[in-house]
Amino acid sequence: MKTLRNLGVSVVAATAMFGATSVMAEDCETITLGAAISLTGKYATNGVHAKNGYEYAFQKIKENGGVKIAGKCYNFSTIYYDDESKGDRGATLAERLINQDKVQYMLGPYSSGLTKAIAPVTEQYKIPMVEAEGASRSLFNKGYKYLFAVLSTSEQYLASAVTLAAEMAEKEGKDAKSVKVAIAVENDPFSLDIRAGVKEDAEKYGMKVILDEKLPRDLSDMSAILTKVKLLKPDVLVVSGHSKGAATAVRQIGEQRINVPMIAVTHCEAADVVGNFGKSANDILCSTQWAETLSYEDELFGTAAEYEQGFKEAFPEYTDKTVPYQVAQASAAVYVFKDAFERAGSLDKEKVRDAIAATDLTTFYGQIRFSENGNNIAKPMVLRQIQDGKYNVVAPSDFASHKLNWPRKPQ
Amino acid sequence: MDQIIGNIGLLFEFPVVNLKILLDGIMIGALFALAAYGLALVWGVMNVKNLAQGDFVIAGGYVAWTLDQNGIHPFLGIPVAFIVMWIIGWITYKLVIKRVIERDLFTSLLATFGLAIMFAQILNLMFGSDTQSIQLDMPTLYFADGFIDVPMSKLVGVVTALCLAFGVILFMKRSRMGQAIRATAQDARAARVLGIDTDKVYAFTFSLNSAICGAAGAIIVMAWVIQPFYGITYSIRAFVIVTAAGLGNLPGVIAAGLGIGALEQYGSHIFGIGYQQAIAVLLLLLVLFIRLLQQRRKRQVLQ
């Protein structure tokens, strides 16, 4: 209860902060969105990131005169509930949002697991949901009609590392087939997708997967795996286990002086591996949905760099950090709603749903265009390498700002 | 299956790996043993099975982490965590534990289970759900062609853990309070008759347990990582170790702690790291089964 109240206070404070600049949009009516999001429990950090991303987009839209639907203007407001990072709770809260609060449109929760729990509910009540934090591809093979995701699906997260490894092997004059791959991923839907994506691509090149391990949920020690890595000498090591996986892996890779030419990890930013482990993190590849150095741009948020700057001004607690992509994609989801409402020219949820499905939007976050299944097929995944403590984009080559350091040396 | 055979093969192909696994196991096992010793103390003296054991460990870790964030050297975090957790343990005793000592098994289990959930959530609200650790500017020692690595932070941690354990043993053997604790554990009523203030002894024991856990946590945050919800892993290990070693058997607790650490590392090498915890639980089952066979002639009534 207390969290909810605090939350209310912070929302009010945030609105007050921006109230001054938004006289124009003051007389607008309100469109109420609903969101069950993890404010406590194991996903709390990223849940709060997502919520801040939503809030920033609302403020931005308000400042720019609101959402214009058939000549009238509207602002977004959101009812948030805390799903405690639990799936069953998320589903219950979605029911409550729809049945008691009469919410007609939903924003997504954090994590694939929670989205998986909520999607059947929104589908049943035919409530359009645009989500930004559930990347598991299993969300998009169920034929859901009301679920849309702005982010790239999870099997693409580290698959590009395999391609990169193949490129490097060929450059060295070796056959891509000779590349040996080691995989260590957590046993959850998201990471298992990553594993599937990596395995698929490795098979395509005829590479051998010599190590394939599943990390436990409460991982705090992976020296057993790294010892095996030392013995088997793979050419690529892929690790995915949310923030804790990244933290544990980077720390112990440093301690055990793991000598693998290419190491790719997810959630580097969320675990702040550079800040926490410094040199150990050097030359590690991190996958990301978005980076502020990319050259995307739109009318509402400006360029990716401007988005980051504006967001940091609105949320000073991020000043010393890189803005995580979880924030950016949450804002992009709200942008999709705004765009769809304006094109639909109506508050009818069926019309809005059709407008969302027809989205073809260029945003600071990247291109957004949905497949029939609701996933975004227009935006590629980005690989960044930590070079001297900085995240530099090294793949895909079209957007790369820096050259890949290869092979990685033990730090 | 192929992978399991391959993994066993690696053990023979590279014998030095065995040493590495053993060392890793002993280092983490020493900390399991510390938490388990606290549990054995509380269990033996007060007959309270503290399910919040692991959460005390994590709380101690966060105390040291907070100090480190404020520029205080993490080594100082160990005694500070000891003291802070002592106080928290004492408050917990006065508020909750005191009321469940005389009750049956399930009341104390339920109460401490509630405590565990509360502790985890409070830590989560205070520090967020990110994993945290303290990075010490200390070198890592390498042996056998760099195959075996012993980070100084782990070494220091283990040595501190051993010193702490030794200190507690001495205290229990030599000091007045230690004698009173042992007397109370033997027979609380007789101890009361002889003028020992058992309530004070209970409060002291529980605070001591909490403080030991806190110090263990402060060591863990230097060498491994902590997260508000990691408490359960330490609770489970502590229970397995105490069940295996028996109450009031300190050398047994230490041996079982080191043993379970090593066995888990072997298990995760052979079957995959996903089965690490499964091995701990499997061991518990095995121990319970053996105990059952041993004690099948002893009849007891469940109160």
Side-chain angles (χ1 to χ4, degrees):
Chain A
M1 221 26 238
K2 201 162 165 222
T3 350
L4 276 181
R5 205 166 58 225
N6 284 346
L7 221 158
V9 172
S10 62
V11 172
V12 170
T15 335
M17 214 158 71
F18 280 79
T21 52
S22 59
V23 189
M24 245 176 66
E26 209 84 304
D27 313 322
C28 296
E29 286 178 49
T30 308
I31 302 173
T32 308
L33 307 173
I37 198 129
S38 309
L39 301 171
T40 56
K42 62 179 171 175
Y43 295 138
T45 320
N46 284 320
V48 172
H49 285 327
K51 179 175 163 280
N52 291 343
Y54 291 149
E55 286 298 319
Y56 179 62
F58 298 152
Q59 290 164 15
K60 247 345 217 191
I61 289 170
K62 200 172 179 189
E63 277 173 50
N64 285 294
V67 187
K68 296 200 181 56
I69 304 171
K72 272 174 43 186
C73 96
Y74 293 85
N75 279 323
F76 287 125
S77 86
T78 304
I79 303 175
Y80 294 105
Y81 288 124
D82 176 15
D83 62 29
E84 297 160 23
S85 310
K86 289 182 191 136
D88 48 347
R89 187 96 187 108
T92 317
L93 291 173
E95 292 252 7
R96 178 163 152 194
L97 281 164
I98 296 164
N99 288 330
Q100 288 183 20
D101 301 318
K102 304 288 175 210
V103 159
Q104 297 286 304
Y105 315 96
M106 295 265 289
L107 288 166
Y110 176 78
S111 89
S112 300
L114 267 298
T115 313
K116 225 178 204 171
I118 290 176
V121 181
T122 50
E123 199 65 21
Q124 185 197 336
Y125 292 100
K126 298 194 189 323
I127 300 290
M129 171 156 84
V130 179
E131 60 105 347
E133 314 284 351
S136 172
R137 65 170 166 184
S138 58
L139 285 165
F140 309 103
N141 58 14
K142 304 231 165 23
Y144 290 143
K145 288 264 167 301
Y146 293 84
L147 175 72
F148 301 93
V150 298
L151 72 181
S152 309
T153 42
S154 47
E155 80 278 4
Q156 302 170 32
Y157 267 61
L158 291 175
S160 38
V162 174
T163 315
L164 210 53
E167 276 174 26
M168 286 298 145
E170 273 159 17
K171 214 185 243 175
E172 288 263 288
K174 279 191 272 181
D175 195 356
K177 270 189 197 142
S178 66
V179 174
K180 291 178 285 181
V181 184
I183 305 174
V185 299
E186 193 180 325
N187 205 349
D188 71 329
F190 167 80
S191 301
L192 289 179
D193 274 2
I194 290 181
R195 171 171 168 264
V198 169
K199 275 190 125 171
E200 235 167 61
D201 276 33
E203 260 164 44
K204 219 167 59 195
Y205 286 106
M207 296 173 182
K208 237 172 107 186
V209 177
I210 51 169
L211 183 70
D212 183 7
E213 290 239 14
K214 300 205 183 79
L215 308 173
R217 247 160 233 275
D218 42 17
L219 171 86
S220 61
D221 183 11
M222 56 185 289
S223 56
I225 290 182
L226 293 175
T227 306
K228 269 187 251 178
V229 166
K230 256 186 175 172
L231 297 174
L232 299 169
K233 298 195 177 52
D235 299 293
V236 193
L237 168 65
V238 171
V239 181
S240 165
H242 299 271
S243 319
K244 56 182 183 287
T248 314
V250 172
R251 176 173 199 154
Q252 298 195 324
I253 282 169
E255 279 176 0
Q256 297 192 223
R257 280 207 265 180
I258 295 301
N259 188 5
V260 176
M262 188 181 284
I263 301 176
V265 181
T266 61
H267 293 83
C268 303
E269 298 88 347
D272 191 15
V273 293
V274 175
N276 285 330
F277 309 114
K279 253 178 54 186
S280 308
N282 257 350
D283 287 350
I284 285 181
L285 288 169
C286 304
S287 73
T288 183
Q289 292 275 0
W290 173 83
E292 71 285 356
T293 48
L294 291 168
S295 53
Y296 305 132
E297 110 173 80
D298 65 47
E299 290 162 12
L300 185 65
F301 297 103
T303 62
E306 280 164 5
Y307 173 86
E308 199 207 17
Q309 210 184 355
F311 180 79
K312 279 184 175 173
E313 275 163 29
F315 292 86
E317 66 265 32
Y318 288 85
T319 310
D320 304 326
K321 293 189 259 185
T322 329
V323 173
Y325 66 76
Q326 283 86 352
V327 173
Q329 58 203 25
S331 298
V334 177
Y335 194 24
V336 166
F337 257 126
K338 170 185 162 23
D339 172 68
F341 272 118
E342 287 178 347
R343 277 186 294 109
S346 150
L347 285 174
D348 179 70
K349 66 179 180 184
E350 286 303 321
K351 281 187 188 154
V352 173
R353 187 248 153 227
D354 292 342
I356 296 174
T359 299
D360 188 357
L361 192 62
T362 311
T363 71
F364 75 98
Y365 172 69
Q367 196 71 23
I368 298 174
R369 198 167 62 242
F370 298 115
S371 78
E372 212 159 277
N373 296 317
N375 56 323
N376 183 5
I377 43 172
K379 184 186 80 66
M381 262 329 266
V382 178
L383 268 186
R384 293 194 288 181
Q385 187 171 42
I386 300 174
Q387 298 175 340
D388 289 325
K390 291 208 174 55
Y391 290 92
N392 294 327
V393 176
V394 293
S397 29
D398 300 353
F399 304 101
S401 57
H402 288 73
K403 260 191 68 181
L404 177 74
N405 285 347
W406 188 89
R408 179 184 188 273
K409 302 214 167 36
Q411 304 287 330
Chain B
M1 198 61 210
D2 283 350
Q3 211 158 18
I4 294 175
I5 294 167
N7 289 334
I8 296 173
L10 282 177
L11 290 178
F12 291 103
E13 202 177 328
F14 304 94
V16 69
V17 174
N18 291 288
L19 196 61
K20 154 96 178 126
I21 292 175
L22 274 177
L23 265 175
D24 276 343
I26 285 171
M27 284 191 287
I28 185 81
L31 289 152
F32 290 159
L34 214 52
Y37 182 57
L39 182 69
L41 209 62
V42 168
W43 194 333
V45 177
M46 308 157 71
N47 201 22
V48 168
K49 287 127 195 104
N50 183 22
L51 285 176
Q53 198 73 1
D55 300 277
F56 284 145
V57 173
I58 302 296
Y62 274 106
V63 171
W65 181 78
T66 313
L67 288 177
D68 179 64
Q69 293 302 96
N70 291 305
I72 295 163
H73 197 277
F75 286 168
L76 211 64
I78 300 171
V80 175
F82 189 89
I83 295 164
V84 171
M85 288 312 295
W86 180 290
I87 297 166
I88 291 178
W90 189 81
I91 296 171
T92 314
Y93 174 80
K94 288 286 171 194
L95 287 177
V96 182
I97 306 297
K98 193 178 152 125
R99 289 157 227 279
V100 301
I101 293 179
E102 312 277 312
R103 305 290 182 79
D104 61 33
L105 172 78
F106 294 104
T107 319
S108 79
L109 277 180
L110 276 178
T112 52
F113 184 51
L115 274 176
I117 295 174
M118 224 180 68
F119 260 86
Q121 289 296 346
I122 290 173
L123 290 175
N124 186 34
L125 284 178
M126 284 173 71
F127 301 103
S129 63
D130 276 341
T131 42
Q132 304 293 5
S133 67
I134 297 175
Q135 191 71 353
L136 291 175
D137 275 331
M138 285 212 276
T140 304
L141 305 175
Y142 295 94
F143 306 101
D145 274 348
F147 228 103
I148 296 172
D149 57 287
V150 183
M152 275 303 264
S153 52
K154 282 189 189 175
L155 202 62
V156 170
V158 173
V159 171
T160 324
L162 290 179
C163 291
L164 192 64
F166 192 65
V168 174
I169 297 170
L170 269 187
F171 171 81
M172 293 296 281
K173 280 233 148 76
R174 296 286 160 84
S175 73
R176 254 345 245 172
M177 194 55 171
Q179 284 177 343
I181 290 175
R182 284 185 293 139
T184 312
Q186 267 180 16
D187 191 331
R189 199 198 271 170
R192 264 196 296 271
V193 170
L194 293 172
I196 292 172
D197 183 350
T198 49
D199 184 52
K200 216 164 127 192
V201 167
Y202 288 152
F204 187 92
T205 312
F206 197 78
S207 311
L208 181 64
N209 163 46
S210 167
I212 293 173
C213 287
I219 296 170
I220 285 168
V221 74
M222 286 193 294
W224 290 272
V225 293
I226 56 166
Q227 207 242 3
F229 302 98
Y230 277 4
I232 184 76
T233 48
Y234 295 99
S235 298
I236 290 179
R237 264 74 163 196
F239 268 83
V240 176
I241 292 166
V242 174
T243 319
L247 305 170
N249 176 8
L250 189 60
V253 167
I254 292 176
L258 300 181
I260 202 171
L263 270 174
E264 272 187 14
Q265 290 290 331
Y266 264 109
S268 62
H269 177 86
I270 294 170
F271 301 108
I273 203 164
Y275 294 95
Q276 199 165 11
Q277 194 129 315
I279 304 238
V281 181
L282 205 69
L283 278 175
L284 177 63
L285 267 179
L286 208 69
V287 165
L288 284 176
F289 190 68
I290 294 169
R291 284 277 143 121
L292 194 74
L293 286 180
Q294 278 174 346
Q295 302 201 331
R296 67 183 186 280
R297 283 171 183 285
K298 199 173 161 192
R299 280 156 213 274
Q300 267 184 333
V301 189
L302 189 68
Q303 285 172 349

